[in-house]
Amino acid sequence: MSHCRSLACDLARLAWRDYYLGRPSMHDWKSELDALVAEAMAFAKSLKVEIEQPRPEPKKVVESDGLSLPDDGGSQRDEIRKRVESFKAQQERFMREREEYANSLLRRIRPITKF
């Protein structure tokens, strides 16, 4: 008798043992799966779990006793404007550099391509 150590041999031995002992075969896996799902669903329904939702904290109302709040909107707008201007300047610089590179490349290629 040879000693087989592969997964296929293990599965064959298990199938033979199940057949010999009268257990359900792998052909009946769908019904076993359905039974397992039904058992799990019944178990889940039997559990009584209460989940507490966190309550939002009430917002505190601050009264302004004639005090004016600083207007940060202007400074944020200025910062955004500066960033946009910086971005546009950088994009223009990139365009100039690309055009300069393309022109220098064309100047180098033209003498080679003229016949």
Side-chain angles (χ1 to χ4, degrees), residues 36-52:
L36 178 65
V37 168
E39 182 182 348
M41 293 297 291
F43 175 72
K45 286 181 182 178
S46 71
L47 297 176
K48 302 284 186 198
V49 178
E50 292 182 22
I51 300 174
E52 274 190 40

Side-chain angles (χ1 to χ4, degrees), residues 95-113:
M95 286 289 286
R96 272 194 316 274
E97 289 176 358
R98 280 194 294 265
E99 287 174 6
E100 290 172 5
Y101 175 74
N103 289 336
S104 69
L105 189 63
L106 288 174
R107 280 193 299 270
R108 287 187 301 183
I109 292 175
R110 280 190 187 131
I112 298 172
T113 59

